[in-house]
Amino acid sequence: MIDFRYHLVSLISVFLALAVGIVLGAGPLRDTISDQLTGQVEVLREEKDALRLEVDENRATIADNVAFIESAAPALLDGALPGYRVAVATFPGVTDDVTSAVSQRIEEAGGEITARVELGTDWADPAAEAERTAVADEVRSEVPGVGGADTDDVVLGQALGFALTGATAADPRAASADAVAVLTALADGDDPLVRVEGEAAPADLVLVLTTPQVAPEADATVDPELEPSNVTWALTLAATGEAAPTVVAGYAELDIDTLVRVRGERTVATVDGLGTVAGQVTVPLVLAAVAADAEPLPYGFGIGAQDPLPPQQDLTGPPALETPTTSPGDGQGADGSDGTDGFDGTGTSDEPADDASPSGDGR
């Protein structure tokens, strides 16, 4: 049985140990412990100062690099896209700042933005499969090169490329009746696949701007619908590249970024770093490479990139516009005259229905 003496001895032991600790801490061990703590604090302070200095130096280096690219951009872009017409299609969520910055670089290179469209969420939403099938069935017979066995993703991807580039044989600046019909179908409905900003005229090149994904937390689970969505986008944009000369620009910092999945198809040229000056300057150069029928390669510094820049091209202008032609009934040439027609949201065109693509092969 535990009696009072046991408790008394225990209390005495506790207080004795406490007294010994106080004596040692205030005496022979005080300086040692204090010096160790002071040394550790000083080391941490030095490491923090070194990291702050490194961050400041990196920021200064980045600012210098951006300033250099800004200064070199005019020389790099001068005449890169002489007279080429570009249709810009943006993913949901692409900011106006990014779109404007890229458009400005295209114009600096001598290009012209002839169409701006925003792609809807139904393009890759698993829940919108029925809606995509309905549109694909509607346009399947209107899109050149589409077969009955082609999947909805392929049909819609080629439909996008054709709708943005299809022109009449008489006037390459006027959209063909089939191209207008396809774009009208894509833009139809309360939640359309495509929303057209202003008027859309035929382009020589198609540029698709994508968005970045957000890195998941360490213990978080990746959205199970993300990979199927990325696969759908990849197949769709690969088909767009088959229908028209296409460049896809975006981000390749994470394995789950859409652009990384698009690069896996190896059928369309890509540019990463869209949110940086370097990436935005690279876009017109890659468009020029695609216009010159160069191999579609991944450019930039992100995942899957092969080269920072494509070789310089010596373009003289879009082949479709090299020979001026006269549009029926207006006596005007194919030089941007008043008689040209485009998609204006009404789904109508005054031009004949004979189709001509920028490459002249009906694609």
Side-chain angles (χ1 to χ4, degrees):
M1 177 180 293
I2 300 176
D3 55 13
F4 175 74
R5 286 179 297 178
Y6 176 84
H7 291 293
L8 181 61
V9 171
S10 298
L11 289 173
I12 293 173
S13 300
V14 169
F15 284 108
L16 181 61
L18 178 61
V20 171
I22 293 174
V23 171
L24 293 176
L29 296 181
R30 180 184 61 184
D31 293 338
T32 302
I33 296 175
S34 178
D35 291 344
Q36 288 179 348
L37 292 176
T38 301
Q40 292 175 357
V41 170
E42 186 63 29
V43 169
L44 292 175
R45 183 181 292 110
E46 291 176 356
E47 290 178 353
K48 184 188 70 173
D49 292 341
L51 290 174
R52 182 185 291 112
L53 179 61
E54 183 178 352
V55 168
D56 292 341
E57 291 176 348
N58 288 339
R59 286 176 176 170
T61 300
I62 292 173
D64 291 342
N65 290 340
V66 170
F68 173 80
I69 295 171
E70 289 278 10
S71 299
L76 285 172
L77 299 179
D78 185 33
L81 289 172
Y84 276 84
R85 302 163 299 170
V86 181
V88 180
T90 60
F91 268 33
V94 174
T95 64
D96 292 339
D97 289 344
V98 169
T99 304
S100 298
V102 174
S103 299
Q104 178 183 344
R105 298 301 182 184
I106 291 172
E107 291 169 353
E108 287 179 11
E112 173 190 2
I113 307 299
T114 57
R116 290 182 174 86
V117 300
E118 181 181 356
L119 305 179
T121 56
D122 280 359
W123 279 95
D125 185 357
E129 183 176 356
E131 288 80 358
R132 290 197 299 274
T133 298
V135 178
D137 290 342
E138 182 179 354
V139 304
R140 188 180 295 270
S141 62
E142 306 281 354
V143 181
V146 170
D150 287 327
T151 65
D152 293 344
D153 297 333
V154 172
V155 173
L156 293 176
Q158 293 202 21
L160 177 63
F162 173 67
L164 296 175
T165 59
T168 65
D171 184 358
R173 290 188 180 274
S176 69
D178 284 348
V180 171
V182 171
L183 188 54
T184 300
L186 294 176
D188 189 32
D190 295 332
D191 192 13
L193 292 177
V194 166
R195 295 184 187 276
V196 182
E197 300 179 14
E199 294 189 4
D204 305 297
L205 305 165
V206 175
L207 172 64
V208 181
L209 306 181
T210 69
T211 50
Q213 298 294 340
V214 178
E217 300 293 336
D219 56 347
T221 302
V222 177
D223 184 357
E225 294 185 354
L226 181 58
E227 178 58 18
S229 174
N230 281 344
V231 170
T232 298
W233 276 122
L235 295 175
T236 299
L237 296 178
T240 301
E242 294 177 3
T246 302
V247 172
V248 181
Y251 306 81
E253 298 177 4
L254 304 173
D255 289 331
I256 58 176
D257 279 327
T258 304
L259 188 70
V260 175
R261 189 63 183 82
V262 173
R263 283 178 166 175
E265 295 298 313
R266 299 185 180 276
T267 57
V268 63
T270 60
V271 182
D272 63 53
L274 181 59
T276 67
V277 174
Q280 293 160 7
V281 171
T282 303
V283 166
L285 302 177
V286 177
L287 284 168
V290 170
D293 292 327
E295 181 183 0
L297 297 177
Y299 295 98
F301 300 94
I303 297 173
Q306 181 169 323
D307 293 306
L309 290 172
Q312 186 176 4
Q313 307 298 325
D314 186 17
L315 301 176
T316 58
L321 301 181
E322 285 183 354
T323 303
T325 60
T326 301
S327 300
D330 62 6
Q332 299 287 350
D335 57 354
S337 59
D338 296 336
T340 59
D341 294 323
F343 179 87
D344 59 2
T346 64
T348 61
S349 173
D350 296 332
E351 295 298 324
D354 50 339
D355 301 337
S357 70
S359 60
D361 59 1
R363 286 173 47 194

